[in-house]
Amino acid sequence: MTHDLVIRGGTVVDGSGKKRFSADIGIKDGKIAEIGRLAAGSGKRSLDADGLIVSPGFIDGHTHMDAQVAWDPLGSCSCWHGVTSVVMSNCGFALAPCKPEDRDWYARCLSAVEDIPTEAMAAGIDWTWETFPEYLATVERLPKAINYGMYIGHSALRMYVMGRRALSEAATEDDMSRMAKAVQEALKAGALGFSSSRASTHVTPEDKPVASRIAEWEEIDRIIAAMAELDAGIFQVGPDIASGDHHRRFLERLRKVALDYKRPIMFGVLATKQGDDPTGWEYQTRYIDDTVAAGGRMFGQGTTRSINAIFSLKSYLPFDVLPAWKPVRALPMDEQKKRLRDPAVRRALVEAEGKMKPRDNVFQGGGAATTDPRKPDYGNLYAMKGVDWDDPTVEQLAKARGQHPVEVMIDLSLADENQIYVQPLVNETPDDVLGILKHPRTLATFSDSGAHVCQEMGSSLQTHLLSYWVRKRGAFTLEQAVKKLTHDNAVAWELEGRGLVREGYQADLVLFEENGIRPSLPTVERDLPGGARRLVQKAEGIKATLVNGAIAFEDGDATGAFAGTVLKGKLAS
């Protein structure tokens, strides 16, 4: 057999968790055709993998790339971290179904919740669809370097069926019937499931609850029952963690959905110190175990490091809302720096910090933490110097320098306008994250890639797992970590033919340096349509990424191959 491509001399970590082995891999027609010692000249092209790990492509099941896919054929920043497949439309946020007259409002809502600039969406989206099947068909036609799966989102669906009543009223019997029918239509077209949110951080541009939060549980029951009728679809939901009481009541009601309808359910396992009496990750993972033992199907979604609010001179600073800071921050960057060097201006800016809203116990996500900040806890605000989770706090630097913390931040930002400051919000400590990751029913998959584009940065989830938890901490073997990023996620999302290096499987593969793979430091770039800004984080140590047999990225650069496809649920595949 003559292969289209042969990967030669690599060390295969196949995604199963089993011990690595040396082998060549022959690829034909987008699939792995042969694994073993392949004869010289058996491929039209060869790729040298000597000294490299060859693993399945990484799968990220929690992204928000619904708008970005319209203008970004690469799938950045996920694509730079070995990700070959993503699932988007999480937490009920989606661009379909949507009536033409509501497009602007949908865009503004996505901007409010996910910090996706409205100008980027206006410049980058050719919005020609209305229904979910039409949106899926649009994504199929777009050039894609990676694979995309998607849910039908609850807030979008509710708005489509109910109009503005969706933001204030319970659904009628007719409303629920129409929503259930639309979900079944979406599943038959290829949706992987249905997503929703009860999270207190998810609000409209008017700072009101998004449509899915208005829905009564009876409405969710009707929709999940419609999925059960077809024996298809995953239910993903953003949890309400505003307080421990809210969280526990949410989980108990979710258990009823799991046991009544037996559909797979996913939600974020989140540890936080915010809110009253927060519910720890141990409670949540025991809850998952108990639900599964009772007959439910349930997974937690976990991060590989803290979920953070990100600040920098080029994006947001905690002080931007203050009257003394606003005119300075509105200036061009060079002029800002000039003002920040002026001793009188600096004194006024430091003094203004004392008038910030005091810290309280209200739970904040990355959006509110950057746009409606409280006075910083400088002991929980880190000046990012590397990617090894060992950065100094602003408080530590202030004590060492004998300066006010605000002065420290000004000086660091003047020395490097790309200086990043990190405020952990959720999963704040390595111990919390490790406990979540070690649980057998939690998935390493919560990047939020494509969302919170200048407020958070989770797209390096995969390379952080391999560099920090495998190489630095030794908490997982490479085989264990690769399994979490590949096979475990493929099984959870029922992505047949992906997640393993196996003959007959799709040739979604990553070639990387075991001792070199790591995230790069994030920077703020203006590379969105219309020149809008976002956080960008690339990676080191990845030689090549293959998607459906095509080399999509080589040495960190896109090759121009767009072999990505739409990942469809079983009713359409």
Side-chain angles (χ1 to χ4, degrees):
M1 177 187 294
T2 300
H3 300 294
D4 299 324
L5 174 67
V6 174
I7 300 172
R8 295 196 177 276
T11 299
V12 178
V13 175
D14 70 1
S16 69
K18 294 179 181 178
K19 188 176 179 179
R20 66 190 71 186
F21 58 92
S22 298
D24 304 328
I25 300 174
I27 298 167
K28 189 171 181 61
D29 298 330
K31 294 187 176 183
I32 298 170
E34 190 174 2
I35 302 172
R37 291 300 175 198
L38 306 187
S42 59
K44 298 175 184 176
R45 180 183 176 186
S46 65
L47 193 59
D48 182 11
D50 183 43
L52 299 174
I53 299 296
V54 182
S55 83
F58 306 144
I59 298 169
D60 189 348
H62 193 117
T63 78
H64 295 271
M65 300 173 80
D66 308 68
Q68 183 180 327
V69 69
W71 65 74
D72 175 15
L74 302 185
S76 62
C77 299
S78 293
C79 65
W80 292 316
H81 298 272
V83 171
T84 56
S85 297
V86 300
V87 179
M88 55 189 184
S89 321
N90 281 269
C91 301
F93 301 115
L95 295 180
C98 176
K99 295 174 182 175
E101 61 267 27
D102 291 330
R103 289 170 182 168
D104 180 66
W105 192 88
Y106 273 46
R108 289 193 300 112
C109 193
L110 271 180
S111 181
V113 175
E114 304 293 10
D115 194 40
I116 301 172
T118 53
E119 60 265 34
M121 285 185 272
I125 298 175
D126 180 15
W127 205 324
T128 58
W129 63 86
E130 177 171 334
T131 67
F132 178 89
E134 289 170 349
Y135 174 73
L136 185 146
T138 298
V139 177
E140 281 193 295
R141 289 191 295 270
L142 291 169
K144 299 173 289 297
I146 63 174
N147 305 311
Y148 294 84
M150 63 199 78
Y151 300 111
I152 181 169
H154 194 180
S155 284
L157 174 61
R158 206 166 199 270
M159 286 292 296
Y160 184 74
V161 169
M162 299 176 61
R164 292 305 173 101
R165 290 189 299 114
L167 299 170
S168 59
E169 297 180 14
T172 65
E173 177 64 29
D174 180 63
D175 294 331
M176 288 188 283
S177 294
R178 291 174 62 196
M179 282 188 265
K181 182 179 179 181
V183 169
Q184 289 187 332
E185 177 188 49
L187 292 172
K188 292 173 182 176
L192 297 179
F194 166 76
S195 70
S196 187
S197 174
R198 315 296 284 184
S200 61
T201 54
H202 290 159
V203 294
T204 68
E206 295 77 29
D207 200 30
K208 302 294 184 183
V210 294
S212 66
R213 291 177 56 199
I214 303 300
E216 296 182 351
W217 279 98
E218 179 189 1
E219 180 180 321
I220 292 174
D221 286 337
R222 287 288 296 276
I223 292 170
I224 308 305
M227 293 166 60
E229 184 179 318
L230 298 179
D231 188 28
I234 294 159
F235 176 35
Q236 184 275 331
V237 59
D240 180 359
I241 62 171
S243 70
D245 178 62
H246 280 227
H247 198 179
R248 290 185 286 273
R249 285 191 284 118
F250 161 82
L251 291 173
E252 284 310 306
R253 187 57 177 82
L254 188 64
R255 190 200 308 271
K256 185 177 188 303
V257 178
L259 298 181
D260 284 353
Y261 306 111
K262 301 295 193 297
R263 296 313 308 153
I265 291 177
M266 299 182 181
F267 63 90
V269 176
L270 303 170
T272 183
K273 297 180 177 65
Q274 298 188 75
D276 294 325
D277 187 27
T279 303
W281 64 264
E282 300 95 335
Y283 179 98
Q284 297 168 63
T285 52
R286 285 196 304 270
Y287 160 85
I288 293 172
D289 288 340
D290 291 345
T291 302
V292 172
R297 300 164 66 186
M298 188 171 280
F299 299 92
Q301 295 184 350
T303 62
T304 63
R305 65 166 300 155
S306 51
I307 296 176
N308 310 301
I310 303 292
F311 299 96
S312 82
L313 187 64
K314 292 170 71 174
S315 57
Y316 299 95
L317 286 173
F319 324 111
D320 291 349
V321 296
L322 297 171
W325 280 78
K326 282 184 177 180
V328 175
R329 295 289 281 146
L331 296 169
M333 184 59 64
D334 287 345
E335 187 63 26
Q336 283 191 52
K337 291 178 181 178
K338 182 178 178 181
R339 299 294 302 277
L340 291 172
R341 291 188 179 98
D342 184 318
V345 172
R346 288 168 66 107
R347 283 194 297 271
L349 296 180
V350 170
E351 181 181 351
E353 181 260 9
K355 300 173 184 175
M356 290 186 72
K357 292 180 183 179
R359 292 193 300 276
D360 54 32
N361 214 26
V362 175
F363 182 85
Q364 285 192 313
T370 50
T371 59
D372 185 25
R374 304 299 186 261
K375 186 173 182 178
D377 173 4
Y378 296 105
N380 189 46
L381 185 62
Y382 296 81
M384 197 171 189
K385 299 299 182 183
V387 293
D388 291 330
W389 212 347
D390 56 2
D391 304 304
T393 67
V394 173
E395 181 179 73
Q396 289 170 334
L397 294 173
K399 288 179 179 178
R401 295 171 175 226
Q403 289 182 297
H404 191 282
V406 175
E407 284 192 286
V408 170
M409 295 179 69
I410 290 174
D411 283 344
L412 291 176
S413 299
L414 287 174
D416 179 6
E417 66 181 30
N418 288 310
Q419 175 65 56
I420 295 289
Y421 306 93
V422 175
Q423 177 189 338
L425 302 170
V426 175
N427 299 352
E428 295 101 327
T429 73
D431 287 344
D432 287 336
V433 172
L434 183 58
I436 293 167
L437 286 174
K438 283 285 188 179
H439 191 271
R441 292 192 176 93
T442 56
L443 306 168
T445 190
F446 198 154
S447 78
D448 259 357
S449 191
H452 309 294
V453 294
C454 227
Q455 299 169 328
E456 299 178 13
M457 172 47 67
S459 297
S460 59
L461 178 152
Q462 296 79 18
T463 49
H464 183 77
L465 176 62
L466 299 179
S467 62
Y468 180 80
W469 289 113
V470 174
R471 196 163 63 242
K472 182 175 181 179
R473 290 286 299 272
F476 300 93
T477 66
L478 182 62
E479 289 83 352
Q480 290 169 334
V482 167
K483 180 175 182 287
K484 290 189 76 67
L485 295 173
T486 60
H487 181 251
D488 288 356
N489 290 339
V491 169
W493 273 277
E494 301 174 352
L495 304 177
E496 293 187 7
R498 300 184 194 270
L500 290 171
V501 181
R502 287 282 191 276
E503 292 180 3
Y505 274 56
Q506 293 298 131
D508 293 347
L509 301 166
V510 187
L511 284 63
F512 63 89
E513 300 169 6
E514 181 174 10
N515 294 317
I517 190 169
R518 62 188 284 118
S520 303
L521 281 168
T523 58
V524 177
E525 308 294 341
R526 289 191 173 273
D527 65 350
L528 293 179
R533 68 191 183 185
R534 66 165 178 161
L535 283 158
V536 169
Q537 189 171 25
K538 296 187 176 183
E540 303 167 14
I542 298 179
K543 174 66 176 176
T545 303
L546 283 71
V547 178
N548 297 314
I551 302 174
F553 300 89
E554 198 162 11
D555 295 318
D557 295 324
T559 65
F562 299 113
T565 189
V566 170
L567 305 173
K568 297 181 180 180
K570 68 178 185 179
L571 296 187
S573 59

